[in-house]
Amino acid sequence: MVRLADLPEYEREHLLAKNLPPLGPLPWHTTTKALSAMRFALITTAGLHFRGEPTFNFADPTFRPIAIDRNADELIMSHSSANFDRSGFSEDVNLVFPIDRFQELVADNTIGSLAEFHYSFMGAGLMPEVYARSAAQVAGLLKQDLVDAVFLTPV
Amino acid sequence: MCALSYYLEAAGILTTGISLVRENAESMQPPRSLWVPFALGRPLGKPNDTAFQHRVIDAALSLLAAPAGPVLEDFAEEAPSTPVEDAPACPVSFANPNSNAETWTARLNAEHIQLQPWYELGKRRRKGRSLVGASSSTLTEIMNRLGGLLDRDTLPTDDLKGFKLAIEDAKTFYLEALTAQPGDYSAQKIEQILWQQTQLGAGLKRFYDRFSAIPKLAIMARLIASRQAIGGATGDEIEIKSLPSKED
């Protein structure tokens, strides 16, 4: 469990060091679309990519696109941190990148559709503002793909 | 993740998602965030539990209906877990004659050979899925490389990224071999076996110590072993300082 009170002091101190102030005025976007009409993309900071694609560096604000028509079971991970469990992701890609769950939500009309491309970052070793440029690039790509909303997963 | 939420929402895209450390989300205030009481590395809670994963996703999607933000809500359920005593037993005994070999290269290669069939079994159980392959090397090449470095008592200072990818492939190979049988595993127990019982764990601990002793490379040590593997020295935490070593 990631309840700080349950963790050893060294772990608690490390995680609390990541408590940073907001990056600026708090953004809040709204839409009149119903959930069942929204187009979603998944974004993870787990450092995922397909085997043979460029791996992430130790501290790396770049991102990797994940095409919807690729087999997500073939995703691997090159996250630099040694401080999280990887055995669960070995068992099930959806634990980190819930693409099958979102396909099911499309099938039962809970959400409208899924983007053609989803995206993976590697969240480690950098201050948040370093991601501004690549986030802007992804925002542009998402808009080209007519994405309304993003579901984000850390690791 | 909070930073991406901030920038995407500011660009006009609705965002919602998972937070694994509530205090971080409280501080950075992403627009919509569902805190979940799950282990790091498991944002959806439990592998292969479709119903549970859907409940987590539904809770995060419900935040999109909030009239104003930022919104930080807590997911009410713990991840389903199996008591450690009910988890499948480790299929491998590491107390084998090859562990008495004189060189790290021989010991690591012997361990690799011992684990290979279990890795293949695990891969078959996962329908061909494996995370091994971030590096461009085979496991044999990786074991020879790690063993050679350890036998020469040197560090791979000319290729730290390649070294990191190689050790992650090796650790992943071991974790996937140790979980060859079907069942719900304790991630902590598997990590304990890796660090406390295997030659790979002992070798990585040696690399950790060597990197830690060089100030400009000390950060590399932290990329080899988890804080829990190194920092915890009591109770159920992993105490890799107590690992037996052929050279001690």
Side-chain angles (χ1 to χ4, degrees), chain A residues 37-108:
Chain A
M38 286 188 199
R39 185 169 175 82
F40 275 83
L42 305 185
I43 295 182
T44 179
T45 54
L48 307 186
H49 52 82
F50 290 102
R51 193 176 279 102
E53 291 182 345
T55 55
F56 286 95
N57 290 317
F58 293 131
D60 189 341
T62 66
F63 58 91
R64 309 286 181 269
I66 301 172
I68 189 74
D69 57 1
R70 295 285 301 272
N71 180 1
D73 268 345
E74 295 175 1
L75 286 166
I76 61 173
M77 183 182 275
S78 60
H79 201 291
S80 62
S81 173
N83 291 296
F84 63 86
D85 168 60
R86 296 172 190 235
S87 67
F89 180 63
S90 277
E91 294 294 326
D92 179 10
V93 66
N94 292 284
L95 188 66
V96 171
F97 183 70
I99 190 68
D100 294 334
R101 299 295 84 83
F102 271 77
Q103 298 272 25
E104 290 155 5
L105 292 176
V106 173
D108 69 12

Side-chain angles (χ1 to χ4, degrees), chain B residues 124-185:
Chain B
R124 185 189 303 171
R125 179 177 69 74
R126 298 181 187 91
K127 299 181 173 61
R129 177 169 166 75
S130 171
L131 302 188
V132 176
S135 77
S136 56
S137 302
T138 67
L139 251 293
T140 299
E141 291 169 339
I142 289 170
M143 290 308 192
N144 284 330
R145 181 183 184 195
L146 298 182
L149 289 165
L150 290 163
D151 287 329
R152 295 191 301 275
D153 203 20
T154 56
L155 293 177
T157 52
D158 59 336
D159 182 20
L160 293 176
K161 183 183 177 185
F163 174 75
K164 165 69 174 172
L165 292 172
I167 64 170
E168 288 302 329
D169 266 352
K171 285 195 287 186
T172 300
F173 174 87
Y174 275 58
L175 292 177
E176 292 182 359
L178 295 173
T179 54
Q181 301 177 88
D184 291 335
Y185 286 88

Side-chain angles (χ1 to χ4, degrees), chain A residues 23 59-62 121 125-135, chain B residues 3-4 7:
Chain A
L23 285 159
D60 189 341
T62 66
F121 287 77
L126 292 171
M127 295 299 285
E129 53 267 25
V130 177
Y131 291 91
R133 184 177 176 196
S134 48
Chain B
L4 294 175
Y7 290 120

